[in-house]
Amino acid sequence: MKTTPIYGMMAEFDSATALVEAARKTHQAGYIKIDAYSPFPVEELAEAIGFHSNRVALVTLIGAAIGGLSGYLMQYWMMAVSYPINVGGRPYHSWPAFIVITFEMTILFGGISAVFGMLALNGLPMPYHPVFNVPRFVMASKDRFFLIVFSTDPKYDPAGTRQFLATLEPRSISEVPS
Amino acid sequence: MDQVDVASGKAPVIEPGYTFGTVTDKISSIVLTRPTSNGWFVGFGIAFLVTMMLLFALAYLFAKGVGIWGINIPVGWGFAIVNFVWWIGIGHAGTLISAILLLLRQSWRNSINRFAEAMTLFAVAAAGIFPLIHTGRPWLAYWLFPYPNTMNYWPQFRSPLVWDVFAVSTYFTISLLFWFIGLVPDLATLRDRSESHWARIIYGMLALGWRGSARHWHRYESAYLLLAGLATPLVLSVHTVVSFDFAIAIVPGWHTTIFPPYFVAGAIYSGFAMVLMLAIPIRKIYGLEDFITDRHLQNSAKVMLATGWIVAYGYGIEAFMGWYSGNRYDAFTLWNRLHGPYAFFYYLLLLCNIGIPQVLWIRKLRTSPLGLFLVSSVILSGMWLERFVIVVMSLHRDFLPSSWGMYYPTRWDWMTYVGTIGMFLSAMFLFVRILPMISIFEMRTLLPEAEVKAE
């Protein structure tokens, strides 16, 4: 037990407002490697911990573009190159007829990229995570709000960080074993 | 997220007095601690038996072929296509609620989107059966997809039927993703609150290790919004493509440009009717009147009223064009609807879809669960009749009187149709028992305490 490495220091709060405020102060105090946990999306929180942009939209755009292009090229190649048949004298490359499937493939690939891109960027699925070692953390999916300072943060030191978190008036503070 | 305005005169989306904890407890306890009632077993049992009837009808169909149905030449489409279009249409309300209303910031949707999405999935699954079995050789249905094969051929991409394959399979995939990704945070709640070891493991696996990190929520919200943005044109395209199956053909009564918008409106019309038919008993049985309030019933009723009028406009234009186009075949289709052998169903359709739903103008009825339930069942029947009128009445008398015929469904047609309703209901019964039927985390955002107050 004594040799268990420490993952971070965690503080528990009662409301979204308290958490956002605490996260903002912690960030301003110079802690960089921090994270916050809430039972529902809190818009201000990402900003408060210094997380500004995510690449989900970019991944989705790329996915959608690949889907649309491959949808159209697939039809072009199959209908005009690989297996050309004359249907009522229409041109082999009859693009208006290809629009529907191009559109559907754009949506399909875009949607799949959005979901799996989001999961991959989030590092999910991840069945084990150190924060679950804190017994009170089960409340994070109900009505409690948590803030963590990771032990990898350059400013992290067990006593000092605990002291700093105490000034934020949390409900409880716990050390997170990894 | 938007907040509930308790002070404004409108009925609230969620009754006052709830906290994060009580909302969580109330919804998750339905799944985790509430004992399974006898009523549930009876309901599920009946639905399950009806599903067995579907399997029986399908087994006999595979043994004998589509000759056991009432389809013939000229009416080659029959019940299979009527039911396909009906079910696909019902699914549309789920996506409308989850995607379009999300983009429009209609926060009242938060308490009905989860089960409306489940309804979409099960309805699309039921719909998907029909074109497959209607191919006659369903074991070769994978021929519909472009895969490299030894026959050295590809599907005909100029055919709306192939467009439909792509539209419906994309629709099912995106609906499934949307539904599942919405479930993940709630599955984490169930994982953390479940007392049973196995339930914790299963919910835990499904929750993918969700821990509610701010970074995760940030990306999650982006993905959710993007998915909504993608699903919105998708849902409009799906019934449009379904209508192309008809409109691209030259059969009188089908070859018309009004079909896409009128199909989409009809889909949402019937979908909201199904949402109400599910929501009204569910909120009663599980005591969820505080979450699915009169406001939800009212709003759904208003959507039905609006889409009902678009559908009525579609009927009007169809009739008008029958006369105005000067095309004798179109004119005859109109005459045949009004005076032909199936005229009764056309009048019944007008009564069910245009006549009776006008009672929704009465405010008292819009807030009466029983009244809405009855009107919804009328609309669902009406929308089924609409597809029957479109499919059968156009095909049975087309250009040449020498090729006219009649279509009578057989018991196998009925068993398959009723069987899919059983399958749909069985899936809904299982869903309300093992998954949170209301999105817990989205309900939390509706509470006044979710608001972050500025210092």
Side-chain angles (χ1 to χ4, degrees):
Chain A
M1 275 303 278
K2 278 178 209 156
T3 52
T4 318
I6 293 304
Y7 184 72
M9 192 72 75
M10 186 182 257
E12 175 189 352
F13 297 89
D14 270 330
S15 71
T17 310
L19 177 63
V20 170
E21 205 171 313
R24 201 169 281 149
K25 279 182 185 155
T26 313
H27 191 61
Q28 278 161 5
Y31 288 99
I32 317 158
K33 296 197 167 162
I34 57 175
D35 204 351
Y37 302 91
S38 58
F40 56 87
V42 180
E43 223 178 306
E44 296 87 345
L45 206 49
E47 187 89 3
I49 62 163
F51 182 67
H52 297 286
S53 65
N54 68 65
R55 283 172 295 167
V56 176
L58 182 67
V59 171
T60 309
L61 178 69
I62 293 171
I66 291 174
L69 276 176
S70 57
Y72 191 89
L73 293 176
M74 169 187 79
Q75 296 177 83
Y76 170 75
W77 181 75
M78 288 174 184
M79 294 291 96
V81 180
S82 173
Y83 190 64
I85 39 170
N86 188 326
V87 180
R90 291 180 188 83
Y92 294 130
H93 180 202
S94 42
W95 66 267
F98 300 162
I99 295 301
V100 173
I101 291 178
T102 306
F103 170 78
E104 303 293 342
M105 292 279 282
T106 310
I107 301 285
L108 180 67
F109 278 58
I112 289 175
S113 315
V115 170
F116 289 97
M118 180 272 284
L119 289 178
L121 289 168
N122 281 348
L124 299 175
M126 188 187 279
Y128 173 80
H129 194 273
V131 290
F132 292 118
N133 290 332
V134 177
R136 298 193 60 83
F137 193 71
V138 292
M139 309 290 280
S141 64
K142 188 186 177 193
D143 56 358
R144 288 295 151 71
F145 301 79
F146 292 86
L147 179 72
I148 188 172
V149 179
F150 298 124
S151 60
T152 48
D153 191 281
K155 267 192 78 176
Y156 183 88
D157 88 284
T161 305
R162 182 182 279 270
Q163 222 162 39
F164 169 76
L165 287 178
T167 63
L168 302 171
E169 293 167 358
R171 200 185 162 95
S172 72
I173 300 180
S174 23
E175 205 161 56
V176 185
S178 84
Chain B
M1 282 282 172
D2 302 3
Q3 300 303 314
V4 183
D5 189 2
V6 190
S8 80
K10 275 187 184 166
V13 218
I14 173 170
E15 293 293 335
Y18 278 97
T19 65
F20 296 138
T22 52
V23 164
T24 310
D25 288 340
K26 184 146 184 171
I27 301 172
S28 62
S29 67
I30 293 172
V31 177
L32 294 176
T33 53
R34 187 186 160 106
T36 310
S37 64
N38 291 334
W40 186 91
F41 278 113
V42 171
F44 177 70
I46 294 171
F48 187 73
L49 283 177
V50 179
T51 312
M52 292 296 105
M53 182 176 79
L54 170 70
L55 293 184
F56 176 63
L58 291 183
Y60 191 67
L61 173 78
F62 295 164
K64 297 292 264 189
V66 290
I68 63 169
W69 291 343
I71 51 172
N72 52 34
I73 302 297
V75 185
W77 272 13
F79 258 36
I81 304 303
V82 174
N83 298 337
F84 164 69
V85 180
W86 188 70
W87 274 122
I88 275 276
I90 286 171
H92 278 49
T95 320
L96 179 103
I97 289 170
S98 58
I100 300 183
L101 295 186
L102 178 80
L103 295 182
L104 296 177
R105 293 194 162 271
Q106 297 292 313
S107 58
W108 59 276
R109 77 179 254 295
N110 285 9
S111 45
I112 53 172
N113 69 335
R114 173 68 50 71
F115 80 82
E117 284 167 34
M119 175 196 86
T120 295
L121 275 183
F122 305 146
V124 175
I129 293 174
F130 286 103
L132 291 188
I133 58 177
H134 190 257
T135 57
R137 288 183 289 168
W139 49 92
L140 296 177
Y142 61 91
W143 285 10
L144 291 163
F145 289 98
Y147 69 102
N149 54 70
T150 52
M151 296 171 280
N152 251 323
Y153 89 145
W154 299 110
Q156 177 52 261
F157 287 115
R158 297 178 192 94
S159 160
L161 299 180
V162 177
W163 303 348
D164 221 16
V165 173
F166 277 81
V168 173
S169 48
T170 300
Y171 186 45
F172 184 80
T173 313
I174 296 294
S175 305
L176 183 68
L177 287 175
F178 207 10
W179 182 67
F180 176 71
I181 216 67
L183 266 170
V184 165
D186 286 357
L187 289 167
T189 300
L190 293 184
R191 169 198 67 201
D192 292 342
R193 302 181 45 71
S194 175
E195 304 281 316
S196 127
H197 179 66
W198 281 107
R200 216 163 358 191
I201 289 180
I202 293 167
Y203 286 130
M205 301 265 252
L206 292 173
L208 307 176
W210 184 260
R211 52 187 189 272
S213 150
R215 288 181 174 80
H216 290 188
W217 276 125
H218 194 57
R219 294 194 186 101
Y220 180 92
E221 289 277 275
S222 298
Y224 204 65
L225 267 179
L226 285 166
L227 214 47
L230 289 167
T232 298
L234 173 67
V235 67
L236 300 179
S237 86
V238 173
H239 230 58
T240 301
V241 173
V242 170
S243 81
F244 283 168
D245 293 344
F246 298 91
I248 304 274
I250 56 163
V251 176
W254 289 1
H255 194 60
T256 149
T257 47
I258 191 73
F259 260 29
Y262 141 57
F263 264 54
V264 172
I268 292 162
Y269 191 34
S270 62
F272 265 89
M274 187 59 104
V275 166
L276 281 179
M277 286 198 76
L278 295 172
I280 289 168
I282 282 177
R283 74 176 206 144
K284 179 86 190 148
I285 293 167
Y286 291 99
L288 294 170
E289 280 101 339
D290 290 350
F291 296 162
I292 305 174
T293 63
D294 287 350
R295 170 111 170 257
H296 296 96
L297 302 188
Q298 277 232 44
N299 285 356
S300 306
K302 285 175 184 166
V303 172
M304 291 201 302
L305 207 49
T307 48
W309 272 103
I310 301 178
V311 169
Y313 173 77
Y315 298 158
I317 286 292
E318 270 190 324
F320 173 75
M321 290 315 283
W323 165 74
Y324 183 73
S325 68
N327 180 315
R328 58 190 299 186
Y329 301 106
D330 278 348
F332 174 75
T333 301
L334 176 63
W335 182 91
N336 190 39
R337 283 184 181 175
L338 296 171
H339 306 287
Y342 293 110
F344 171 74
F345 296 107
Y346 188 64
Y347 292 114
L348 194 60
L349 149 75
L350 295 181
L351 183 69
C352 289
N353 276 356
I354 303 179
I356 294 174
Q358 298 315 316
V359 297
L360 292 174
W361 288 105
I362 306 165
R363 179 189 286 271
K364 205 159 182 182
L365 199 116
R366 288 202 302 269
T367 51
S368 140
L370 181 67
L372 276 178
F373 188 82
L374 294 177
V375 173
S376 299
S377 66
V378 167
I379 291 173
L380 276 172
S381 324
M383 286 309 294
W384 188 87
L385 283 169
E386 179 197 301
R387 279 64 182 254
F388 181 85
V389 163
I390 291 172
V391 170
V392 173
M393 285 170 79
S394 288
L395 283 175
H396 91 119
R397 288 182 171 178
D398 59 0
F399 303 98
L400 281 179
S402 60
S403 61
W404 287 0
M406 287 295 286
Y407 169 79
Y408 302 103
T410 64
R411 75 184 77 163
W412 301 102
D413 283 308
W414 285 110
M415 282 164 72
T416 314
Y417 171 47
V418 176
T420 51
I421 298 177
M423 188 188 94
F424 173 81
L425 290 178
S426 312
M428 283 308 292
F429 271 109
L430 288 175
F431 162 70
V432 297
R433 207 65 209 101
I434 59 182
L435 291 170
M437 65 180 117
I438 294 181
S439 174
I440 308 176
F441 87 87
E442 283 173 303
M443 289 303 280
R444 292 189 193 113
T445 64
L446 290 182
L447 295 170
E449 56 176 324
E451 194 178 6
V452 175
K453 295 166 197 80
E455 302 123 78

